[in-house]
Amino acid sequence: MASRHVTKRAKYKTTIKDPGTPGTLRLTLEKILFVPHNPKSAGKLDVEFRFIKGQKHTKEGSNKPPWLNLTNNQNGSFIFEFENYSDLQYCRDFVGKVLAKSGEVSEKPTVTYPDEQLSAAEMELRIKLLQEDSELQKLHKQFVLSDVLTEAEFWATRKKLLDTEANKKTKQRLGFKSAMISDIRPSTDGRTNKVTFNLTPEIILQIFAEKPAVHRAFLSYVPNKMSEKVFWTKYFRAEYLHSTKNSIAAAAEAAEDEELAVFLKLDDILASEARWKIRRVDPTLDMEADEGDDYTHLPDHGIFRDGSKDMTESQNELYRRTLSQDINRHAAVVLEGRAVDVDLDDTRAVAEALAWSKQESSTKRESDGDTNQERLARVSRMTEIEDLQGPNNLPSAPLCIKDPRDYFDSQQANALRTSGDALGRTEQIKCSLSTQEVYGSLRQSISVIKAMGLKDPIVKPEVAHQVFDALTNSISTTKYHIGKNPHESVLDRLPKKTKDELLHHWTSILELLKHFWASYPITTSYLYTKVNRLKDAISNIYPQLEEIKGSVPSELRHQVSLLVHPMLQALDAAIQHYEADMQKRSTGSVDKPNGYV
Amino acid sequence: MKFQIEDVTVYFPYDHIYPEQYSYMIELKRALDAKGHCLLEMPTGTGKTIALLSLITSYSLSKPQSPIKLIYCTRTVHEMEKTLAELKLLHNYQIKHLGPQARILAIGLSSRKNLCVNPTVLAAENRDSVDAGCRKLTASWVRAMAAENPNVPTCQFFENYEKAASAAVLPPGVYTLQDLRAFGKEKGWCPYFLARHMVQFANVVVYSYQYLLDPKVAGIISKEMQKESVVIFDEAHNIDNVCIEALSVSVRRQTLEGATRNLNRISHEIDRFKATDASRLRAEYNRLVEGLALRGNLPITDNWLSNPALPDDILKEAVPGNIRRAEHFLHVLRRLVQYLRGRLETENVEKESPVGFVASISSHAGIDQKALKFCYDRLHSLMLTLEITDTDEFLHIQTICDFATLVGTYGRGFSIIIEPFDERMPHIPDPVLQLSCHDASLAIKPVFDRFQSVVITSGTLSPIDLYPRLLNFHPVVSRSFTMSLTRDCICPMVLTRGSDQLPVSTKFDMRSDPGVVRNYGKLLLEMVSVVPDGIVCFFVSYSYMDGIINTWNDTGILKEIMQHKLVFIETQDVVETTLALDNYRRACDCGRGAVFFSVARGKVAEGIDFDRHYGRLVIMFGVPFQYTLSKILMARLEYLRDTFQIKEGDFLTFDALRQAAQCVGRVIRSKADYGMMIFADKSAGRESLASF
């Protein structure tokens, strides 16, 4: 840590109204010490940091003097008035760090006590964010706790996360997997005929949701009538019978074992559910109503076998279940989304929670009277011809991409395949412009806008499209140029440790550079110190990157250095800028006699 | 907008109009002026329905002295609902501009199943049990019994409707089926009978094709429509098939077994009546001696399905003496069933003309042609006499009587084909005796004769000169409009080879080739990863679709597809398919994206729109040719060649193309819409693209 203590002139106030006792404030890692200039005055203070719960301060630019307010755990507070804001900031950061440390010491999960005027809710939110996102936590640990960034700086670039409104949106509910549960393939040991199924609570929940009869059977049989293991064995036996597509064998087995029959029979709960659901479907696709109106297809009327219709075997209907039904059912369940939000470790609990949520929805179903209205609205939307009338404002949901990396990776594969040659072209377009030319073109476009007004698309669609293409193409180009198949990336071929390290370095470098460039132009001494701190951190990264390069096997070294290269470039640019700036400062410092760098 | 076409002011509910809509209206008006029939083709996605509705309603508004009635026939109930919704929009617009004089009454009419509001009746599973459930509560003898004995259940909605008598009318407005149900519930009147009653007074009636074309239904619903009506058949590219189906009957083993059961039950009933109330049977006999079975003055609720033969062909004379007595008629029917059972026991495919078949019945079973002809009427009369309400149980014997009546009535245009098994599944014995109609013009002839203008319109009617020949009529206007596109909003493509350069096709010898299946899977997989929102795939048949999906499932292609989009599949179960479609739309609405697997000649391809984001891409896996080895199809082709000089190959190509065009046309609804179409088959030549 840079400094182990801070000493500043300040006034100590017991209340806001108090004119304050002038004195010296000394902050160490353990204690807050205030000694009045006048030894006789009663304002002497000696408080240990572990009693301090949080801090508040006034903001630069507000009319208030620079105050720092430390609250202790008895809801008391100590107010200090500083001579200027930079002193305040310095102390504030110090306190923040110490508080963060003490938080760690007291065995809480990597938590910091925030330093601005934070309510308890905001604090909790930050803690929660850190807990949820391990990457963020890593960054936080690396920079804030090692003093490269302050708490406030760190969060300032993540206002979006802190915005509770946005936060609600980002929290996506986890849905069911797209893969079918019939894809659970058993594993065999290769010697005996035994197969083993691995059931996770996640899969069980999905089975319950897709097959209500199994769910009901589970609730009534387990654990009174049979053990859970027996239950699932029977279930998979039934699944196996289905997969053989031998409905006669299924019927025979079901006749012998009534519990097994439960799994083999068509699901009666589904059938009854279908009956009430059919009343709510969009009338413009209600084919069931057609059936009810179709007098040419009276049984045995019309043409029965003219080659346009298909034959189906109708034996053992009861035990016949088609793949199509399974697929439809699965897709419907995925679409409905997960109704339960419980910890998935106990099958019984899962089953009960699902039963409960179903009950709830069925009571809701009885009480809804606006379905008719909704149906009518849907019909009228389906019938209107859009382009013959004014636009209709359709409801829209904001796009929420949880992990942009995934998104771009998937786009990359497509973009590359479709426009392999587009990449070559865009590179040729690249040309160097002088500052004057750029300035000139900017002025020109501004004057055009002034004359013509701002047209609706600010950027021409073609240009935007080109940029977007180039971006998706080049964002992780190397990955795909080298990967043998477009779905396998270079990163996946690296050892996991190296891959993680590389990714981590990327994010941390991005974080540092973001702060670094945001600090220019340096207008306050605060920014000046910040830039220095950042520069130190940046220069520390170089050896680490070299180390990664050295650690990988030689055949991958080229790949890694390709990946590391842009990082180095970015860092170099930052350092260069820093040095140039420093040089300018040292020559120009004569012009600023007040010493204010 | 409001504009003038010659002397008619047209009210059009949108601010703009497509040029082809305007010229469509002009042609339509010519046909109305000439009081003749017309044939109009305009691609989907150009707003045919609204153009039709707005011109015809405006036309009748501008000529208040001779108002014309509009009978709008749709293929399906959901198209009916959509048409009514568009009409509602138009009606609101006209009221806004013209005030109360623009008021019209427009109703949709469907079966009891779709209109009934009585919860006990509605609990029944299918249409026939709902019909029977209704009859159990509302038949005249049931109500007479209930008047004496309050314990006999009746339908409160119907009783209220009867009580209100002439006061029970619908105020002007546009009523969808849902509106009718809501109105009925509110007033406590039966919506079904109310709608049936109001059909005579309504300015616009929207119902299904069969209510006009199928004599069994038309006989009770559309008897009293005035001549000054304009009849529209929308989406009429399949109208010949509807006409043919309306006059075809097939008899299977199950039918004969059921019919035998029915006959036993009837015989019990006759015995019971003989013991308790012999006078009724005697009264019926006397009535039959005097003339035809009682018709016309039946209470509305006692009506059952009507005579399967066309009204002009029904003899207006007394029932022949040998089937007047109930027992005699029963014996005749037993002999007939016995004869048919004997014919089903064949090992070879047999094809016969109705004349020969009737002669054979006459010599083997001793039933002459006239008796056959009266089977339907005699059965109907007997069932009324016996006061049978659970009509759904008696469908089998009704099938036999329909068959007998049709065979007895028509000498040409039909053939009887007996097949011991389905060609494609020779190992499963499933004998079937089919009376199949080959001449589509038979069923539609009364409609052309009766109404002053009949408009046949669809998105795909090409070649447009084929329809007048198939349906045997002379249109005064026959036009085909092309769509004017302001931008390339459709992108049709033909794919003949898979990514490994193997040709792909669904020709019979190639379709199960693993290479073809894999190539199709790869194609779909690549498409699902790039196309946003909804994708629709059409396969040539259910069995092929099942096979291909199973193979994809085994090889893991399906799993990969599922990673990109949810998968929904059309099955033969209508309820399940409807739910799958509903979920499919939901998935497209919420941005999840989905694929729908469907069958080219299935119900979905016939009537469901996949417009806008519900279908950005449609893939046709193969060309949907009919199964050419089908005996019925061969017989029909032969008939077409001999009678109308239409070549077999021409008809088959025409049929396959109209199906394919129908499938891919589902994705475009308006010009603002856009989508891509892929025909994945090596035999899908240039010609298929010519239709776009």
Side-chain angles (χ1 to χ4, degrees):
Chain A
M1 193 170 274
S3 55
R4 306 210 145 263
H5 56 84
V6 179
T7 314
K8 294 278 172 202
R9 281 162 186 267
K11 285 184 194 162
Y12 170 60
K13 303 155 86 130
T14 44
T15 62
I16 297 171
K17 298 271 164 61
D18 191 351
T21 330
T24 322
L25 176 69
R26 188 180 158 82
L27 302 171
T28 68
L29 288 179
E30 292 81 29
K31 276 185 178 182
I32 301 167
L33 219 69
F34 182 78
V35 186
H37 291 317
N38 184 355
K40 281 181 190 138
S41 59
K44 195 166 185 232
L45 202 64
D46 185 354
V47 186
E48 279 189 49
F49 251 121
R50 60 193 170 89
F51 293 120
I52 299 297
K53 212 168 59 178
Q55 59 170 341
K56 294 179 191 166
H57 66 92
T58 54
K59 284 221 172 76
E60 195 167 4
S62 60
N63 322 335
K64 292 199 182 119
W67 285 345
L68 181 69
N69 185 348
L70 302 174
T71 42
N72 67 11
N73 48 8
Q74 276 102 40
N75 277 335
S77 62
F78 315 104
I79 303 169
F80 301 99
E81 185 180 321
F82 294 94
E83 284 172 352
N84 55 33
Y85 272 100
S86 64
D87 281 354
L88 166 67
Q89 272 159 2
Y90 205 77
C91 288
R92 183 196 67 191
D93 292 346
F94 187 84
V95 171
K97 265 178 278 172
V98 174
L99 286 179
K101 279 226 149 176
S102 69
E104 245 182 5
V105 169
S106 58
E107 293 291 316
K108 292 216 179 119
T110 11
V111 166
T112 65
Y113 287 97
D115 49 357
E116 291 158 84
Q117 297 101 316
L118 283 179
S119 64
E122 275 171 325
M123 238 172 346
E124 255 169 45
L125 179 65
R126 287 184 181 185
I127 294 167
K128 207 167 127 220
L129 282 172
L130 288 179
Q131 277 168 345
E132 277 173 3
D133 189 345
S134 63
E135 210 166 80
L136 196 66
Q137 194 178 353
K138 244 194 217 160
L139 279 182
H140 187 263
K141 222 180 204 162
Q142 186 183 351
F143 293 129
V144 178
L145 299 184
S146 65
D147 272 337
V148 178
L149 294 172
T150 66
E151 179 80 15
E153 284 163 358
F154 183 78
W155 288 108
T157 54
R158 292 183 172 71
K159 284 222 174 75
K160 242 205 178 129
L161 286 179
L162 290 175
D163 187 359
T164 43
E165 200 56 32
N167 198 38
K168 256 179 225 152
K169 274 176 207 146
T170 51
K171 191 170 177 310
Q172 287 178 322
R173 270 202 306 153
L174 211 61
F176 285 112
K177 288 212 171 63
S178 298
M180 302 255 299
I181 34 178
S182 59
D183 290 336
I184 319 166
R185 303 264 186 234
S187 54
T188 49
D189 58 2
R191 276 170 301 158
T192 54
N193 279 332
K194 228 185 197 170
V195 292
T196 324
F197 286 92
N198 261 327
L199 273 180
T200 64
E202 177 76 37
I203 295 172
I204 290 174
L205 176 64
Q206 204 166 345
I207 292 175
F208 283 161
E210 288 184 21
K211 299 173 183 164
V214 175
H215 180 217
R216 183 182 54 188
F218 184 88
L219 284 176
S220 55
Y221 293 162
V222 180
N224 306 330
K225 210 166 162 191
M226 58 177 83
S227 76
E228 200 175 325
K229 195 173 165 203
V230 175
F231 181 85
W232 290 116
T233 313
K234 269 197 200 307
Y235 170 78
F236 281 110
R237 173 90 193 130
E239 286 299 296
Y240 167 73
L241 282 172
H242 273 305
S243 68
T244 57
K245 299 197 179 71
N246 186 347
S247 53
I248 298 154
E253 288 225 13
E256 280 171 24
D257 186 343
E258 67 175 278
E259 281 109 37
L260 193 66
V262 170
F263 301 128
L264 288 171
K265 263 188 224 155
L266 289 182
D267 205 322
D268 55 324
I269 304 179
L270 283 185
S272 68
E273 233 174 58
R275 217 167 296 147
W276 76 262
K277 270 190 194 152
I278 200 90
R279 300 211 183 111
R280 302 155 51 103
V281 297
D282 190 339
T284 59
L285 46 71
D286 190 353
M287 296 201 297
E288 209 242 349
D290 293 344
E291 186 94 320
D293 200 34
D294 188 356
Y295 282 93
T296 44
H297 294 102
L298 279 175
D300 297 325
H301 282 74
I303 294 171
F304 171 68
R305 192 188 286 159
D306 66 346
S308 63
K309 297 181 195 88
D310 285 278
M311 298 286 300
T312 43
E313 300 164 67
S314 54
Q315 296 149 336
N316 281 309
E317 256 327 315
L318 194 58
Y319 299 109
R320 226 172 137 267
R321 202 181 66 196
T322 59
L323 179 65
S324 322
Q325 284 169 325
D326 281 349
I327 293 173
N328 279 338
R329 175 70 194 154
H330 166 75
V333 167
V334 171
L335 194 63
E336 263 170 37
R338 187 200 297 254
V340 262
D341 218 2
V342 287
D343 283 336
L344 301 163
D345 21 78
D346 182 17
T347 331
R348 182 87 202 162
V350 168
E352 272 161 8
L354 192 65
W356 188 75
S357 79
K358 272 210 180 132
Q359 229 168 29
E360 206 171 49
S361 72
S362 74
T363 50
K364 209 166 71 190
R365 155 202 327 175
E366 271 144 32
S367 64
D368 59 359
D370 57 352
T371 43
N372 275 351
Q373 205 52 46
E374 191 198 305
R375 279 176 60 144
L376 286 179
R378 276 174 88 171
V379 176
S380 68
R381 212 165 44 231
M382 283 301 292
T383 50
E384 276 167 20
I385 304 178
E386 299 155 325
D387 57 340
L388 290 183
Q389 59 181 15
N392 240 344
N393 286 327
L394 287 172
S396 64
L399 178 65
C400 170
I401 300 173
K402 204 168 182 197
D403 189 350
R405 213 152 51 209
D406 278 355
Y407 172 75
F408 281 114
D409 281 1
S410 67
Q411 286 307 301
Q412 174 75 20
N414 298 328
L416 261 188
R417 224 176 313 149
T418 51
S419 60
D421 55 339
L423 189 68
R425 255 191 292 122
T426 46
E427 271 173 355
Q428 282 157 11
I429 293 169
K430 233 185 267 167
C431 54
S432 55
L433 282 172
S434 72
T435 332
Q436 277 82 14
E437 279 171 302
V438 171
Y439 182 65
S441 118
L442 186 68
R443 281 198 61 144
Q444 198 190 342
S445 55
I446 288 174
S447 64
V448 166
I449 289 169
K450 266 186 188 155
M452 318 250 306
L454 205 56
K455 283 223 201 90
D456 199 14
I458 295 174
V459 185
K460 277 193 196 135
E462 305 89 68
V463 177
H465 190 244
Q466 210 173 19
V467 170
F468 193 70
D469 260 3
L471 273 178
T472 39
N473 267 325
S474 57
I475 272 179
S476 44
T477 316
T478 42
K479 264 173 74 166
Y480 291 103
H481 277 327
I482 292 129
K484 279 187 202 102
N485 107 39
H487 291 287
E488 179 196 326
S489 76
V490 171
L491 279 178
D492 292 337
R493 292 168 59 203
L494 297 176
K496 190 171 177 329
K497 185 169 159 278
T498 323
K499 180 185 158 188
D500 286 347
E501 267 177 33
L502 275 175
L503 287 177
H504 176 68
H505 274 295
W506 252 127
T507 43
S508 55
I509 287 170
L510 280 182
E511 179 75 21
L512 280 177
L513 290 177
K514 192 155 67 181
H515 285 284
F516 179 82
W517 292 108
S519 319
Y520 282 94
I522 298 171
T523 45
T524 60
S525 63
Y526 170 69
L527 283 178
Y528 181 74
T529 49
K530 185 178 168 188
V531 164
N532 275 329
R533 266 185 289 142
L534 288 168
K535 188 227 134 207
D536 290 342
I538 286 174
S539 38
N540 282 341
I541 293 183
Y542 282 98
Q544 286 172 9
L545 289 178
E546 284 303 318
E547 199 180 304
I548 292 182
K549 267 203 260 183
S551 71
V552 290
S554 53
E555 72 265 22
L556 291 172
R557 200 161 295 165
H558 176 64
Q559 302 300 335
V560 173
S561 63
L562 274 184
L563 288 171
V564 166
H565 184 66
M567 305 190 206
L568 290 178
Q569 275 182 323
L571 294 178
D572 286 345
I575 297 283
Q576 254 173 31
H577 185 85
Y578 173 78
E579 272 159 10
D581 195 61
M582 287 310 281
Q583 206 139 28
K584 241 201 291 185
R585 252 159 223 290
S586 58
T587 53
S589 61
V590 204
D591 304 336
K592 291 176 183 165
N594 56 2
Y596 192 84
V597 252
Chain B
M1 66 191 285
K2 205 162 80 170
F3 55 90
Q4 207 69 30
I5 295 182
E6 291 155 22
D7 54 333
V8 174
T9 313
V10 179
Y11 294 86
F12 191 72
Y14 296 105
D15 302 337
H16 307 275
I17 187 168
Y18 296 135
E20 50 269 46
Q21 278 179 323
Y22 182 73
S23 32
Y24 186 88
M25 286 184 186
I26 292 177
E27 295 294 337
L28 189 59
K29 179 170 179 299
R30 298 234 165 96
L32 293 185
D33 285 340
K35 297 194 195 311
H37 311 314
C38 75
L39 194 62
L40 294 171
E41 179 190 20
M42 186 159 83
T44 46
T46 41
K48 267 191 307 294
T49 310
I50 193 66
L52 274 168
L53 291 173
S54 107
L55 182 89
I56 293 172
T57 49
S58 305
Y59 191 87
S60 85
L61 280 175
S62 71
K63 298 189 169 37
Q65 66 284 1
S66 60
I68 51 168
K69 189 187 189 105
L70 172 60
I71 303 173
Y72 197 106
C73 300
T74 63
R75 283 176 311 171
T76 56
V77 172
H78 47 88
E79 278 171 10
M80 184 191 302
E81 295 266 19
K82 245 161 44 185
T83 308
L84 283 164
E86 289 196 50
L87 186 59
K88 213 181 247 181
L89 188 80
L90 173 69
H91 187 233
N92 290 342
Y93 180 81
Q94 286 175 338
I95 293 234
K96 207 171 87 193
H97 285 264
L98 272 173
Q101 57 147 324
R103 277 173 192 277
I104 55 167
L105 175 65
I107 55 171
L109 183 64
S110 181
S111 61
R112 289 181 175 88
K113 171 94 170 46
N114 291 336
L115 279 174
C116 182
V117 287
N118 187 327
T120 53
V121 176
L122 212 53
E125 284 280 306
N126 57 39
R127 179 198 57 235
D128 301 308
S129 9
V130 171
D131 281 1
C134 177
R135 199 166 283 113
K136 270 174 209 158
L137 298 178
T138 58
S140 55
W141 55 89
V142 173
R143 293 181 58 224
M145 230 154 56
E148 291 162 18
N149 179 2
N151 288 334
V152 174
T154 55
C155 174
Q156 205 48 52
F157 293 98
F158 183 74
E159 296 302 321
N160 287 344
Y161 165 73
E162 278 287 285
K163 250 178 247 155
S166 58
V169 286
L170 274 172
V174 178
Y175 295 88
T176 63
L177 299 183
Q178 185 143 7
D179 297 332
L180 278 172
R181 280 198 298 269
F183 182 81
K185 257 187 198 160
E186 185 197 315
K187 294 273 185 181
W189 295 339
C190 174
Y192 175 72
F193 288 107
L194 179 64
R196 287 262 307 263
H197 177 64
M198 294 311 291
V199 161
Q200 299 170 42
F201 311 108
N203 308 78
V204 181
V205 180
V206 184
Y207 56 32
S208 156
Y209 278 18
Q210 295 133 26
Y211 287 52
L212 262 191
L213 291 179
D214 188 342
K216 296 190 283 298
V217 195
I220 44 173
I221 307 263
S222 313
K223 263 190 308 199
E224 281 152 17
M225 298 290 188
Q226 69 227 43
K227 184 178 169 28
E228 290 74 32
S229 302
V230 180
V231 177
I232 294 172
F233 291 104
D234 196 4
E235 304 284 346
H237 46 273
N238 272 338
I239 194 165
D240 51 327
N241 290 337
V242 177
C243 293
I244 283 169
E245 295 229 342
L247 292 180
S248 300
V249 181
S250 53
V251 176
R252 302 206 289 159
R253 265 192 198 147
Q254 294 94 305
T255 325
L256 294 176
E257 283 159 19
T260 313
R261 277 198 307 275
N262 293 159
L263 289 175
N264 290 338
R265 168 108 186 266
I266 291 175
S267 131
H268 280 298
E269 292 285 319
I270 292 175
D271 290 344
R272 195 168 61 87
F273 268 88
K274 262 190 187 156
T276 57
D277 193 5
S279 61
R280 285 190 67 97
L281 289 170
R282 235 186 339 268
E284 189 203 19
Y285 181 82
N286 293 335
R287 207 177 61 218
L288 292 173
V289 172
E290 280 160 24
L292 198 62
L294 280 194
R295 265 301 151 92
N297 48 359
L298 277 180
I300 191 169
T301 50
D302 291 359
N303 267 325
W304 196 15
L305 288 175
S306 181
N307 197 312
L310 296 163
D312 295 348
D313 304 326
I314 298 171
L315 283 184
K316 306 276 187 290
E317 57 181 86
V319 174
N322 56 350
I323 54 170
R324 276 185 209 154
R325 285 186 67 93
E327 304 91 325
H328 294 169
F329 179 57
L330 215 57
H331 280 299
V332 165
L333 286 182
R334 279 193 202 281
R335 284 207 304 277
L336 180 63
V337 169
Q338 191 56 42
Y339 173 77
L340 292 176
R341 186 171 293 139
R343 291 301 300 267
L344 271 184
E345 298 296 318
T346 175
E347 304 217 327
N348 305 310
V349 177
E350 293 176 26
K351 188 180 159 218
E352 219 172 320
S353 77
V355 180
F357 195 78
V358 168
S360 152
I361 292 181
S362 174
S363 62
H364 288 89
I367 308 168
D368 63 351
Q369 187 206 1
K370 203 166 172 199
L372 283 176
K373 212 170 184 176
F374 278 98
C375 266
Y376 168 80
D377 284 323
R378 185 64 192 91
L379 178 75
H380 193 82
S381 160
L382 181 61
M383 292 193 48
L384 285 179
T385 311
L386 297 177
E387 300 185 343
I388 288 168
T389 48
D390 46 351
T391 45
D392 55 334
E393 299 288 323
F394 288 84
L395 284 171
H396 296 297
I397 189 66
Q398 206 209 349
T399 306
I400 302 290
C401 287
D402 283 350
F403 172 79
T405 307
L406 286 171
V407 161
T409 310
Y410 295 101
R412 51 185 306 282
F414 286 78
S415 56
I416 288 152
I417 292 168
I418 308 170
E419 279 182 293
F421 47 75
D422 190 312
E423 297 274 304
R424 286 165 293 183
M425 300 183 183
H427 55 287
I428 304 167
D430 180 24
V432 59
L433 185 153
Q434 304 183 80
L435 171 72
S436 99
C437 171
H438 302 312
D439 194 343
S441 63
L442 283 177
I444 205 169
K445 188 167 176 288
V447 179
F448 283 131
D449 291 348
R450 224 170 106 194
F451 299 105
Q452 81 177 31
S453 292
V454 176
V455 180
I456 290 178
T457 185
S458 172
T460 38
L461 285 178
S462 51
I464 201 161
D465 54 327
L466 194 61
Y467 282 88
R469 278 152 78 195
L470 280 178
L471 302 176
N472 194 20
F473 75 113
H474 302 286
V476 293
V477 175
S478 167
R479 271 287 303 269
S480 181
F481 299 92
T482 47
M483 193 167 176
S484 64
L485 287 180
T486 46
R487 57 187 189 124
D488 295 334
C489 62
I490 50 175
C491 169
M493 282 197 256
V494 176
L495 179 114
T496 54
R497 285 170 193 277
S499 50
D500 51 4
Q501 293 307 308
L502 280 176
V504 291
S505 176
T506 50
K507 272 168 61 181
F508 232 70
D509 47 339
M510 278 182 74
R511 60 168 59 172
S512 45
D513 183 347
V516 173
V517 173
R518 193 185 55 239
N519 272 324
Y520 278 157
K522 284 229 177 100
L523 166 70
L524 181 60
L525 185 57
E526 278 182 37
M527 288 302 132
V528 289
S529 64
V530 288
V531 175
D533 296 329
I535 295 182
V536 200
C537 304
F538 288 102
F539 296 86
V540 286
S541 70
Y542 280 112
S543 49
Y544 184 58
M545 181 172 77
D546 270 353
I548 210 169
I549 288 173
N550 274 311
T551 318
W552 285 351
N553 187 41
D554 295 341
T555 51
I557 291 179
L558 196 65
K559 197 173 166 188
E560 284 183 65
I561 292 171
M562 279 183 176
Q563 289 192 334
H564 296 281
K565 288 187 190 299
L566 291 176
V567 176
F568 295 97
I569 301 174
E570 173 182 5
T571 65
Q572 276 158 318
D573 178 356
V574 183
V575 175
E576 180 167 348
T577 307
T578 307
L579 289 179
L581 272 171
D582 195 51
N583 283 325
Y584 171 80
R585 287 222 174 144
R586 257 177 242 267
C588 294
D589 281 336
C590 75
R592 184 81 170 69
V595 196
F596 195 85
F597 290 157
S598 178
V599 175
R601 286 169 186 277
K603 290 221 157 72
V604 173
E606 252 176 30
I608 306 294
D609 281 338
F610 291 100
D611 52 336
R612 295 173 292 143
H613 59 291
Y614 298 131
R616 288 298 180 213
L617 165 68
V618 51
I619 307 178
M620 293 281 313
F621 292 111
V623 178
F625 280 112
Q626 282 199 51
Y627 176 61
T628 41
L629 297 178
S630 154
K631 294 287 176 299
I632 291 201
L633 184 64
M634 279 155 90
R636 186 176 174 202
L637 289 173
E638 201 176 299
Y639 181 83
L640 286 177
R641 192 189 56 213
D642 297 347
T643 323
F644 300 118
Q645 288 79 47
I646 297 169
K647 279 191 220 133
E648 287 103 327
D650 286 356
F651 183 79
L652 285 176
T653 322
F654 150 77
D655 185 70
L657 281 189
R658 71 175 167 186
Q659 296 304 337
Q662 205 27 229
C663 294
V664 297
R666 303 271 116 214
V667 290
I668 297 293
R669 171 162 179 81
S670 70
K671 290 184 186 178
D673 206 350
Y674 57 93
M676 191 162 108
M677 302 151 182
I678 298 179
F679 299 85
D681 193 299
K682 75 180 168 72
S683 54
R686 295 275 131 221
E687 65 215 299
S688 55
L689 290 184
S691 48
F692 296 102

